Amino acid sequence: MIAAAARRRDNSHNEYYYEEAEMERRVRKRKARLVVAVEEAFTHIKRLQDEDQKNPREIMDPREAAQAIFASMARAMQKYLRTTRQQPYHSMESILQHLQFCITHDMTPKAFLERYLTPGPTVQYHRENTAGREWTLVSEEPVTSALKEGAVFALRRLDFSLVVTVRRIPFLQLREEFIDPKSHKFVMRLQSETSV
């Protein structure tokens, strides 16, 4: 009996290893399917935009475009979020809003997926001779107006674009209150039956 318990204990690390490996495999599989679905959806939008330039017709609203392509990626997105346990953090409406935002600002599929796939930034900057680079500011608001909550503008260069949304920083007011240490003393009375 002791030997059987020792064998089970020895095999528990193997079970843990294989469970972790299986989970990583499932996440990679779901991620690959999600990336392919999103890239196909964005390619579909690009194709429609190219056709609209050749044969102008009614231009689709970004919200309508987001709703139209969301159906093709919804299943892959739902399975990925469920597998990575992110589903409670991203509602369908928030995903649609983010998709609409990405379509409006002509962002790439990688930029759309960055919120769901990676915790870090998508672009890494190197410190080589950054002094002479020029950025172009693109904004619907006048450049001279003050920043307001919800304002959106883009900083663009030849190789990429940085879209900025202005959010208000929460205001915290901290107070310090002195409590006299003598005001919260207590007395512990030991009875003879206690083991202390």
Side-chain angles (χ1 to χ4, degrees):
M1 222 168 145
I2 294 174
R7 254 184 273 123
R8 271 197 307 270
R9 191 176 60 240
D10 288 343
N11 289 335
S12 65
H13 71 280
N14 278 343
E15 290 174 21
Y16 180 76
Y17 171 78
Y18 285 114
E19 285 173 9
E20 287 289 314
E22 177 64 20
M23 182 64 175
E24 288 174 13
R25 187 190 68 78
R26 275 200 315 261
V27 168
R28 280 195 315 268
K29 181 172 106 178
R30 298 285 181 221
K31 180 179 177 181
R33 287 183 178 169
L34 176 62
V35 168
V36 168
V38 169
E39 285 177 353
E40 286 175 356
F42 273 75
T43 303
H44 183 68
I45 288 178
K46 286 288 186 197
R47 195 170 36 244
L48 288 177
Q49 286 175 344
D50 293 342
E51 287 175 10
D52 283 345
Q53 287 177 353
K54 293 175 186 172
N55 303 327
R57 55 183 172 157
E58 186 178 325
I59 296 174
M60 191 180 281
D61 180 58
R63 177 75 180 180
E64 293 172 356
Q67 289 172 337
I69 67 165
F70 181 70
S72 66
M73 70 173 86
R75 184 176 171 90
M77 175 71 82
Q78 182 183 25
K79 285 187 173 187
Y80 176 78
L81 292 177
R82 193 180 310 134
T83 302
T84 57
R85 297 183 180 98
Q86 296 183 54
Q87 200 168 21
Y89 307 117
H90 303 288
S91 67
M92 186 178 101
E93 184 59 31
S94 72
I95 295 169
L96 274 171
Q97 286 176 350
H98 182 56
L99 184 58
Q100 177 186 348
F101 182 83
C102 292
I103 292 170
T104 303
H105 296 286
D106 197 27
M107 297 168 94
T108 63
K110 184 179 179 183
F112 169 73
L113 286 171
E114 184 254 340
R115 174 180 286 187
Y116 311 106
L117 299 182
T118 58
T122 55
V123 178
Q124 299 200 355
Y125 300 98
H126 302 288
R127 304 196 118 241
E128 67 219 21
N129 195 13
T130 57
R133 297 193 178 162
E134 291 186 15
W135 292 81
T136 304
L137 176 68
V138 180
S139 175
E140 292 178 2
E141 298 289 325
V143 179
T144 56
S145 67
L147 286 177
K148 296 178 207 149
E149 170 84 18
V152 177
F153 61 92
L155 295 171
R156 292 195 175 151
R157 282 201 12 213
L158 294 175
D159 50 351
F160 59 89
S161 174
L162 178 66
V163 178
V164 179
T165 304
V166 178
R167 298 276 183 235
R168 185 177 304 237
I169 297 176
F171 179 74
L172 301 175
Q173 185 176 9
L174 301 176
R175 290 185 302 143
E176 184 177 357
E177 188 176 321
F178 176 75
I179 298 176
D180 185 19
K182 294 177 183 172
S183 68
H184 58 277
K185 288 186 177 181
F186 63 93
V187 177
M188 187 169 137
R189 294 192 178 117
L190 300 175
Q191 295 178 1
S192 61
E193 316 69 74
T194 62
S195 60
V196 178

